[in-house]
Amino acid sequence: MPMRHGSQAPAIGHPITNAFVTILDEDLRQCVVGQQGELCIGGAGVARGYLGRPEVTREKFIHDVWSDPGMGRVLYRTGDQAVMLPGGLLQFVGRSDRQIALQGFRIEAGEVEAVLMGDELVREAVVKRHDYESLGPRLLAFVTLRERARDSEHPVEEVRSRMRERVPAYMVPNQFVVLDEMPMTPNGKIDEKALVPPARSREELVADEQLTAAYRAPGTQAERRVAEVFADVLAMDLVGVDDGFFDIGGDSLAGVAVMARLEKSFETTLPTDALQQAPTPAALATLITGTGGAEQAPSSRDWTAEGRHELPFAAPHPMPADAPVLVTGAGGFVGGAVVAALLARDPGLTIDALVHSPAGGDRLRERLGRDADRVSILVGDLAQPGFGLPEATTRRLAESTRAVVHAGAQVNHFKTYEALRAENVEATSIAADIAWIAGGGAVPLVFTSSISVEDEEPGRLSPNGYARGKQIAERRLEDAAAQGLPVRVLRVGRALPARGGGAFNPNDTLQIFFGACLELGATPDWRFCEAAHPVDVVAAAIADAALAPDPAPGFEISHPPMAVWSSAEFLAALRRRLAERDEPELRTVPWEEWVALLQADGGGTAQRALALLSANDGAALTTDDAATTAAYVASIGAGEAGDWHGFDAAYYDMIAEELLGMHARV
């Protein structure tokens, strides 16, 4: 049932006598009950068109093939999004012309505006998409503030912070523009066309506490050029040489543009993780010119000391028979599946589920259905001491926890180790401390790591900030295991939709690449393979480790069962499903042409795919490496097991159907 920022969308009743109402999808096919689409009206009261406006008439008045004879043969497309409920009741969702497509999501502008105007500091709000020339599409909020906002030192940051608690991250505006008054039309309505964003100001970022570095002007020609590129791509008025790229609004999409411009300006090839190693103009200029080397850019650390962790004192205490399992990252793709798997194992089991926001907790409860009553939602922050939980909650966890599953992390391959350290390394130490205090060696810590740590030679740290964080976290846990903590590390590969049906991870590279193919109507000749597993197989292996009886102290590394996933097989499945739907076939184009199509497309999915290409080699993605992948899976002893025997045609068809439901064709 459609929801609007936590409440049910309004119902608007039934069709009146002599009127016919239906809901049509984007392809003008009738929606089933419960499916959202455009509200269309037919019947005796429908006009024949717009006087003197034949083009608009052809767009808005369509031939009616759905109603009974005698109701007229014309339907009017209202532009309203609605749902037909059981019994024929109509439910209004929003306006089609106010839907914003951004980074693969469809956002109702009115819904974001309603949340903003529900804030105590906001008087009026208009939300719209703005396409910066280099920065790409961004969600902007134009707001006027109430009088009480004068009492706040940083009102915009307060509003932004409260929004993060109420809506998913993709619905939080990237930029706020505060106005004294909204521009109005002669008819007394807000003039949205007059709402144009000003240049992004460094001064505003400092005022909002998004940027803390004092301004320092470029001192060399290289620093000057890098700062200019940062400012141009991020639409900033001024960039200092100590301003971090990600601190001033940079992300993976903007990173691609920065890298391309700098490589052209300096006639050089930069490593894919250059912005991770050197996120400021000063550090990046040093990396490019070679005056100091890349290793001077990030903070210098004693990596041996960084990999150690001393467990706290643990006073012996009895373990309650009904002690729950603590699962961090429970609102995530893998973490949510782990919660479901644990609950399915034992009807008497309860779970403390750590999530990042109340909205994440609501989504987890909805996913679990009746089993949600056995889950306590804990809203916390991995980057904070004690996960940011109240002291009483932390004390309860330490006194009554049966096992700790640490599945929480920030997955970002464009950030530095330092930027990810609190959430991905320090949080692992906190999870280990909770397990140790709770059981003194009787409570296991199950840690979800990544097979990306195996890309480097033993003892060598990865240049990728995310992978390095997993390496250091594993080293800390190995140190904790030597002190008596039972540690079970599961290195996870590509986690795909569950076997029984379910969504892709919204940030998964595969769904972004292939989603872009669907939206473009064209695809390269994909050949690459992945060591992968359905997320329910991953969750089952983690649940086994967490619930194993009498866990012995020690450090154990294993892998959930995995198999070779083939991009060529998946592409074939997509083509089968498209043929069954009677939809146009995907054109196969050369790699260079596909990249050019991505660059020409303004859609969010295409832009996300472009960003990911900076860390992926086109030649490798179009080369069949099934034998190499199979050899890797065999070498780590992670082959198919139990009731799962790898990826068959039925599974490829199922996830192809799921992907088709996520991405519209053009």
Side-chain angles (χ1 to χ4, degrees):
M1 184 173 291
M3 305 293 289
R4 296 170 62 83
H5 54 275
S7 61
Q8 187 173 319
I12 55 176
H14 296 83
I16 62 175
T17 304
N18 293 328
F20 170 73
V21 170
T22 189
I23 311 292
L24 301 182
D25 65 15
E26 294 177 346
D27 297 319
L28 300 183
R29 295 178 299 197
Q30 225 169 3
C31 295
V32 299
V33 171
Q35 180 184 355
Q36 181 177 324
E38 184 177 4
L39 178 65
C40 298
I41 300 175
V46 175
R48 289 179 291 178
Y50 288 94
L51 182 63
R53 302 176 67 188
E55 292 184 1
V56 180
T57 297
R58 282 194 295 271
E59 177 187 353
K60 302 294 286 185
F61 291 84
I62 61 176
H63 184 59
D64 177 10
V65 297
W66 296 279
S67 65
D68 296 330
M71 293 295 288
R73 307 313 297 167
V74 175
L75 278 183
Y76 174 64
R77 301 178 62 179
T78 67
D80 292 329
Q81 288 285 303
V83 170
M84 184 77 75
L85 300 178
L89 188 67
L90 290 167
Q91 196 170 49
F92 175 76
V93 177
R95 286 288 300 171
S96 300
D97 53 12
R98 299 218 66 213
Q99 275 196 346
I100 298 171
L102 193 70
Q103 294 190 354
F105 297 99
R106 291 189 180 275
I107 301 170
E108 289 287 350
E111 185 170 357
V112 181
E113 290 165 356
V115 176
L116 281 168
M117 288 188 286
D119 191 278
E120 61 183 17
L121 300 184
V122 178
R123 179 161 55 92
E124 299 169 296
V126 174
V127 171
K128 60 191 298 187
R129 167 178 163 157
H130 182 76
D131 293 319
Y132 288 98
E133 182 176 349
S134 300
L135 188 57
R138 289 293 185 268
L139 190 66
L140 268 60
F142 295 84
V143 299
T144 60
L145 300 177
R146 299 182 185 276
E147 281 295 321
R148 68 186 67 178
R150 297 178 183 272
D151 299 329
S152 172
E153 188 175 358
H154 304 295
V156 170
E157 190 54 36
E158 283 189 30
V159 174
R160 181 185 284 114
S161 178
R162 285 191 284 268
M163 280 206 76
R164 292 192 184 110
E165 297 175 357
R166 300 187 63 187
V167 299
Y170 65 85
M171 292 177 65
V172 178
N174 304 105
Q175 183 180 350
F176 284 77
V177 180
V178 180
L179 305 173
D180 293 329
E181 296 290 341
M182 289 287 182
M184 308 298 286
T185 66
N187 295 328
K189 296 182 179 180
I190 293 177
D191 185 0
E192 292 194 22
K193 293 182 179 178
L195 295 174
V196 179
R200 297 176 70 242
S201 164
R202 187 182 191 280
E203 183 179 353
E204 289 180 2
L205 293 182
V206 173
D208 289 342
E209 297 182 341
Q210 290 180 248
L211 188 63
T212 57
Y215 176 74
R216 186 163 68 91
T220 67
Q221 186 174 353
E223 288 179 346
R224 189 173 302 108
R225 178 54 185 153
V226 175
E228 288 173 353
V229 170
F230 275 27
D232 189 23
V233 171
L234 299 179
M236 290 283 293
D237 61 343
L238 184 69
V239 173
V241 293
D242 298 318
D243 295 347
F245 176 74
F246 300 101
D247 295 332
I248 58 177
D251 58 16
S252 57
L253 299 179
V256 174
V258 165
M259 296 279 281
R261 291 195 181 194
L262 291 178
E263 287 182 345
K264 184 175 181 180
S265 292
F266 290 94
E267 297 182 347
T268 188
T269 299
L270 294 172
T272 57
D273 63 341
L275 282 169
Q276 296 171 289
Q277 293 188 50
T280 67
L284 195 49
T286 297
L287 173 61
I288 292 171
T289 59
T291 55
E295 287 303 317
Q296 293 188 11
S299 301
S300 178
R301 285 191 176 276
D302 179 343
W303 295 106
T304 300
E306 181 75 350
R308 297 197 185 107
H309 179 64
E310 183 176 348
L311 293 171
F313 172 75
H317 62 268
M319 174 68 65
D322 60 348
V325 174
L326 170 63
V327 179
T328 70
F333 184 64
V334 172
V338 170
V339 172
L342 287 167
L343 293 174
R345 294 293 178 88
D346 182 352
L349 184 69
T350 58
I351 292 178
D352 287 318
L354 183 71
V355 299
H356 184 65
S357 67
D362 292 341
R363 289 191 295 271
L364 179 61
R365 286 185 176 279
E366 183 179 355
R367 173 180 182 173
L368 297 174
R370 289 179 297 180
D371 285 334
D373 292 339
R374 293 193 279 143
V375 176
S376 295
I377 300 296
L378 308 178
V379 179
D381 185 347
L382 292 176
Q384 297 300 317
F387 297 145
L389 297 171
E391 186 177 343
T393 302
T394 305
R395 190 182 312 115
R396 177 179 67 78
L397 292 175
E399 293 172 352
S400 178
T401 295
R402 173 178 174 177
V404 176
V405 176
H406 185 43
Q410 183 183 160
V411 182
N412 189 312
H413 291 278
F414 284 85
K415 287 192 175 183
T416 63
Y417 173 85
E418 297 300 326
L420 298 171
R421 182 174 181 268
E423 288 173 281
N424 293 2
V425 180
E426 292 297 326
T428 305
S429 294
I430 294 170
D433 289 348
I434 291 174
W436 179 249
I437 296 172
V443 170
L445 173 69
V446 181
F447 177 60
T448 58
S449 188
S450 168
I451 60 173
S452 63
V453 303
E454 298 166 356
D455 292 341
E456 300 297 329
E457 298 176 3
R460 180 179 176 182
L461 289 173
S462 172
N464 179 282
Y466 173 75
R468 179 174 295 200
K470 289 294 185 182
Q471 288 176 307
I472 296 298
E474 285 192 13
R475 290 184 183 183
R476 290 193 179 189
L477 292 179
E478 188 172 9
D479 194 27
Q483 300 167 58
L485 181 67
V487 175
R488 308 294 181 259
V489 175
L490 281 92
R491 291 178 176 170
V492 178
R494 177 78 62 186
L496 297 171
R499 290 171 292 174
F504 276 89
N505 182 338
N507 297 314
D508 184 81
T509 304
L510 299 181
Q511 76 89 4
I512 294 171
F513 279 162
F514 283 91
C517 292
L518 288 174
E519 295 183 13
L520 294 172
T523 176
D525 187 17
W526 301 107
R527 294 287 176 178
F528 71 96
C529 295
E530 294 264 5
H533 22 220
V535 71
D536 58 311
V537 172
V538 176
I542 294 172
D544 285 342
L547 300 180
D550 302 321
F555 183 75
E556 297 178 6
I557 296 176
S558 63
H559 304 75
M562 63 179 75
V564 177
W565 181 92
S566 166
S567 61
E569 291 284 350
F570 183 50
L571 180 58
L574 277 175
R575 285 182 159 138
R576 284 196 299 272
R577 305 307 287 179
L578 288 170
E580 290 171 6
R581 288 171 168 229
D582 222 10
E583 293 192 25
E585 183 179 339
L586 286 174
R587 295 183 298 117
T588 300
V589 298
W591 177 261
E592 294 76 12
E593 182 178 341
W594 187 68
V595 173
L597 290 171
L598 289 176
Q599 293 170 335
D601 189 272
T605 305
Q607 296 304 308
R608 294 177 79 191
L610 268 178
L612 291 169
L613 289 182
S614 66
N616 290 272
D617 179 16
L621 294 174
T622 52
T623 299
D624 186 350
D625 58 351
T628 304
T629 308
Y632 165 73
V633 172
S635 71
I636 61 176
E640 309 148 19
D643 63 345
W644 182 58
H645 304 291
F647 301 109
D648 56 17
Y651 181 83
Y652 283 113
D653 283 344
M654 182 199 75
I655 62 173
E657 188 65 31
E658 169 63 26
L659 192 74
L660 285 168
M662 294 175 66
H663 297 274
R665 302 295 304 280
V666 294

